[in-house]
């Protein structure tokens, strides 16, 4: 015993010596234990401290870590000296650990200056990081339903990469009244299970049994793995086919396409395999028409449409179907199928015009029946209910007379002139979904009645006609409009007769009865006829005829066709008038007065006066409106005794017409009063008083004769139209309607002229005497100064102021 102890002591000594000798270059093995699956970067230990190395010298001594026959999972930090995980370590990988029970990583830590080698051994400790798993996730077993209880069946066992207590320890089976397991242990200590049938199977009750086998390891906490076990129970032919229902009631829409699926019959057989295979067929109770309309697939049991389905032809189909399996002996089952054809909105509503009245008169009464229509639809239910309508904004309405019969009646008065015809569209629509519709259009024509009066565009026409027009000249076109048709529209125009001064309008004007063009039948003279007012009527040809009239106002427009006539001062011979004037005449004194008249009217008769020639323009002035010639200054000794004045009287027409008069003025030294614008016969005032009575009687007589003459002339004019070649009428025999400016008064007639002259001269203290005119003249008028003495006759030019010579025929 002692010798044995000595031997051990010696051996230990030798080993210590050998180890001491080797420590000069190689250090002893340093052992570490770490669990697998540590995170990358995890520190195992401070290698520098464990090896006795100075941390500050690790970099200089170039410490490094070599792996012996394995992948480099660890490394050393040269700054801190820590040994840390470089890559996750899984000991269950076969190439890492050579044995199941233990697993080591051998490393060498090498430093320089001086060089030393340290052996490091890192033991990888197993953890329960693996779940037991089966080689096959599912197991399938076929077991006949005739198998006896107690029969055993092998199933797949589970494996676990972990070792020791972490490996598979036991199995569990899901709850089942037919199966259980028994756990067995292999020679290597592995565990496996066997499936045992503990109760007989019935495929018709349960054809397949799904079991779950669970493997459990011994780790803490434990891990489990599962696998499915499918047990198929093999069949025997002990069940007949059965349909889901004994009687099927199916609805299908009519017009379904050929091949449309009606019903998929599903007969079930609790058996399996050929015992469950079956064929479908019609029974003998199914009619031939039904078999021709529907097809039955013998393999799938599908009933499809074979013929045309029309609800209106056939609504219900009955059939009986038999399903037979292929077992031995064969078993069968049957069911009834009733197919109800469902109506669809496949028929358009129809409209039928039973009666239609066209054309109709536009004056037919409201509520008159125009048409009778009927509607129909072959569909049923809402699909067969038909609504009828006509367009809105029409003077018609629909009124139901009986079932599906409607009357079209007039709801408002008609007017052909506004709407000559109506296109009435009857629209019928059923109440299906979607609704179907149809329409029928009828044209209602309206017959015209004479219900419209001809109308003129204007109610009053004013037509201006230039005088001296040519006979037959077109004045205007007075066209009326009648919206009626045919003879109700044909218009005739005529002038409504009216006499003016015993002259009918139809003698003056003519209208074309067809087109309403108005013509003048004569040449008009504005100085005689100023205007005409009459009516024109337009009458249609309807029965009864309708008419309307329009007022026409013809205005004769004046032309500048009359030259001004100088009536003062009076010119006995030629156009030169001699006058005398005292040289002592004051400035502004009236020397003479030129008076001219114009037979035209309005603007054409307005006369203005101006000097055409004058001896001394600084001596006399002429008022352009009243023709008064006055002195602008007193006469001087240098002024010549004879002054020649040429005065022109010009009217306002286009072109202007004029007349001239030459006045020769002689200046005298005697105290002779300045001549007025008319030649005078001076009388003494004492003689004037003796002649006053005679003068009044003479004036009254002449005025009376003048009035008689005017009346006779008017009567003759009204009875006999003026010939275009006849001599112009005497302007002193009728009352002129033109206005001429004479001094301060307006010449309305010759009498007015004389009266104006009388007023002008009496204001100057002279008496105006109307004297008999020479042969061929109308009147002679003289102006006499009022005095108490005898009448003094001047040796100068005659005192006659105006002599109107009657034109030669």
């Amino acid at each position: 015993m002692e010798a044995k102890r000595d031997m051990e002591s010696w051996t230990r000594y030798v080993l210590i010596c050998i180890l001491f000798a080797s420590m000069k270059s190689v250090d002893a093995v340093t052992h570490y234990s770490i669990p697998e699956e540590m995170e990358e970067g995890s520190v195992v230990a401070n290698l520098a401290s464990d090896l006795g190395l100075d941390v500050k010298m690790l970099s200089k001594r170039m410490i490094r870590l070599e792996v012996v026959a394995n992948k480099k999972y660890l490394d050393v930090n040269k700054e801190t000296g820590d040994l840390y995980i470089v890559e996750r370590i899984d000991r269950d990988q076969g190439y890492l650990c050579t044995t199941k029970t233990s697993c080591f990583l051998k490393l060498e830590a090498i430093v320089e200056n001086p060089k030393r080698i340290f052996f490091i051994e890192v033991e990888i400790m197993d953890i329960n990081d693996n779940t037991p798993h089966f080689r096959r996730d599912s197991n399938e077993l076929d077991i006949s339903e005739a198998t006896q209880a107690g029969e055993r069946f092998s199933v797949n066992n589970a494996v676990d990469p972990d070792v020791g207590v972490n490996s598979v320890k036991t199995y569990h089976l899901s709850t089942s009244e037919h199966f259980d397991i028994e756990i067995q242990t292999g020679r290597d200590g592995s565990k496996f299970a066997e499936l045992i049938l503990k109760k007989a199977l019935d495929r018709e009750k349960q054809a397949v049994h799904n079991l779950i086998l669970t493997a459990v390891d011994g780790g803490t906490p434990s891990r489990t793995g599962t696998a499915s076990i499918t047990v198929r129970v093999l069949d025997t032919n002990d069940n007949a086919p059965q349909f889901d229902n004994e009687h099927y009631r199916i609805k299908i829409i009519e017009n379904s396409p050929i091949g449309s699926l009606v019903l998929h019959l599903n007969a079930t057989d609790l058996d399996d395999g050929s015992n469950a295979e079956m064929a479908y067929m019609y029974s003998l109770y199914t009619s031939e028409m039904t078999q021709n309309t529907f097809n039955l697939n013998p393999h799938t049991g599908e009933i499809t449409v074979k013929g045309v389905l029309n609800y209106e032809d056939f609504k219900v189909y009955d059939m009986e179907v038999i399903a037979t399996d292929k077992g031995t002996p064969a078993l069968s089952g049957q069911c009834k199928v009733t197919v109800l054809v469902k109506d669809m909105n496949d028929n358009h509503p129809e409209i039928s015009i039973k009666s239609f009245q066209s054309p109709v008169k536009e004056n037919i009464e409201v509520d008159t029946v125009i048409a009778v229509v009927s509607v129909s639809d072959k569909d049923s239910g809402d699909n067969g209910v038909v609504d009828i309508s006509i367009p809105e904004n029409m003077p018609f309405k629909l009124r139901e007379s009986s079932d599906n019969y409607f009357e079209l009646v007039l709801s408002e008065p008609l007017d052909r002139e506004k709407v000559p015809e109506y296109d009435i569209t009857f629209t019928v629509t059923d109440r299906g979904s979607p609704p179907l519709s149809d329409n029928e259009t009828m044209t209602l024509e309206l017959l015209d009645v004479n219900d419209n009066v001809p109308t003129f565009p204007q109610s009053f026409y004013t037509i201006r006609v230039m005088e001296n027009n040519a006979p037959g000249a077109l004045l205007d076109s007075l066209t009326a409009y009648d919206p009626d048709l045919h003879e109700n529209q044909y218009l005739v125009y005529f002038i409504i007769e009216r006499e003016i001064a015993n002259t009918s309008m139809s003698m003056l004007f003519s209208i074309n009865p067809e087109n309403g063009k108005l013509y003048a039948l004569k040449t008009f003279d504005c100085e005689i006829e100023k205007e005409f007012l009459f009516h024109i009527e337009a009458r249609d040809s309807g029965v009864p005829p309708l008419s309307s009239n329009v007022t026409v106002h013809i205005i004769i427009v004046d032309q500048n066709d009359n030259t001004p006539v100088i009536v003062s001062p009076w010119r006995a011979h030629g156009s030169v008038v001699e006058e005398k004037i005292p040289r002592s005449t004051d400035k502004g004194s009236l020397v003479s007065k030129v008076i001219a008249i114009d037979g035209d009217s309005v603007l054409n008769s307005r006369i203005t006066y101006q000097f055409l020639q004058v001896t001394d323009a600084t001596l006399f002035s002429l008022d352009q409106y009243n023709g008064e010639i006055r002195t602008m200054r007193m006469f001087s000794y240098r002024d010549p005794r004879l002054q020649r004045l040429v005065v022109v009287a010009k009217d306002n027409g286009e072109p202007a017409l004029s007349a001239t008069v030459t006045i020769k003025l002689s200046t005298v030294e005697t105290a002779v009063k300045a001549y007025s614008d008319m030649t005078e016969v001076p009388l003494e005032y004492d003689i004037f008083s003796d002649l006053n009575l005679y003068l009044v009687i003479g004036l009254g007589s002449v005025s009376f004769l003048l009035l008689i003459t005017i009346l006779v002339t008017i009567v003759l004019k009204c009875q006999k139209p003026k010939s275009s070649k006849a001599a112009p009428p005497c302007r002193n025999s009728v009352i002129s309607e033109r206005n001429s400016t004479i001094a301060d008064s307006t010449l309305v007639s010759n009498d007015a002229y004389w009266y104006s002259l009388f007023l002008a001269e009496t204001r100057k203290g002279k008496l105006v005497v109307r004297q008999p005119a020479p042969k061929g003249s109308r009147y002679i008028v003289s102006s006499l100064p009022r005095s108490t003495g005898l009448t003094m006759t001047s040796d100068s030019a005659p005192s006659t102021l105006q002599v109107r010579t009657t034109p030669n025929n």
Side-chain angles (χ1 to χ4, degrees), residues 518-592:
L518 183 65
Y519 298 91
L521 297 181
K522 59 168 288 185
T523 301
F524 296 106
D525 188 350
C526 181
E527 286 72 38
I528 298 177
E529 297 136 333
K530 300 284 291 181
E531 61 183 11
F532 300 94
L533 193 67
F534 56 93
H535 299 282
I536 290 178
E537 182 175 303
R539 180 182 301 166
D540 61 26
S541 303
V543 178
L546 301 177
S547 64
S548 65
N549 59 69
V550 65
T551 301
V552 179
H553 184 202
I554 303 293
I555 298 176
I556 308 302
V557 180
D558 180 52
Q559 279 187 332
N560 193 21
D561 57 346
N562 289 283
T563 303
V565 176
I566 297 176
V567 298
S568 177
W570 172 248
R571 297 164 292 174
H573 304 285
S575 60
V576 178
V577 177
E578 294 183 358
E579 299 279 0
K580 291 182 179 182
I581 184 173
R583 293 185 67 85
S584 59
T585 300
D586 294 333
K587 175 184 177 181
S589 298
L590 178 65
V591 176
S592 183

Side-chain angles (χ1 to χ4, degrees), residues 27-87:
D27 292 330
V29 176
T30 303
H31 183 82
Y32 296 103
S33 295
I34 61 173
E36 63 177 334
E37 304 291 344
M38 289 185 66
E39 295 291 334
E40 294 179 4
S42 300
V43 177
V44 176
N46 191 291
L47 189 61
S49 176
D50 294 341
L51 298 180
L53 299 176
D54 187 0
V55 174
K56 297 179 180 179
M57 298 299 292
L58 292 180
S59 296
K60 293 182 178 180
R61 297 190 65 182
M62 296 180 293
I63 185 170
R64 64 182 183 276
L65 200 63
E66 299 288 343
V67 180
V68 179
N70 282 300
K71 187 177 180 180
K72 188 174 182 179
Y73 291 97
L74 295 94
D75 202 354
V76 62
N77 189 327
K78 296 180 181 180
E79 301 297 329
T80 61
D82 290 335
L83 181 66
Y84 64 93
I85 304 297
V86 175
E87 185 178 348

